[in-house]
Amino acid sequence: MTNIWYTRYTKEIVDTDIQMNSNNEWGIDPDGEGPTPLTNAFDVQNIVTHEMGHVCGLGDLYNNPSRN
């Protein structure tokens, strides 16, 4: 999850935090060929890349027509 703090009037981002749930299983295995596959685990590189988009001010496109 990404938290963003910004000034109300200028919309300038002044601080951000990315929080990762320690109750989840995390790993790094981008091609699925590592010694321990990410079965039932989140790929930390993928998730952090997504959250960094939010740090840069990008939103999610889950239900947006421009997603296609």
Side-chain angles (χ1 to χ4, degrees), residues 15-64:
D15 195 14
T16 61
D17 287 326
I18 294 176
Q19 298 174 326
M20 298 173 65
N21 189 336
S22 62
N23 292 320
N24 292 333
E25 294 290 326
W26 297 93
I28 298 173
D29 187 17
D31 57 8
E33 297 176 355
T36 307
L38 292 181
T39 306
N40 299 320
F42 292 98
D43 182 351
V44 69
Q45 292 174 317
N46 186 18
I47 300 297
V48 170
T49 299
H50 174 96
E51 296 304 324
M52 286 301 297
H54 295 312
V55 169
C56 294
L58 299 175
D60 290 316
L61 296 176
Y62 298 125
N63 295 316
N64 190 311

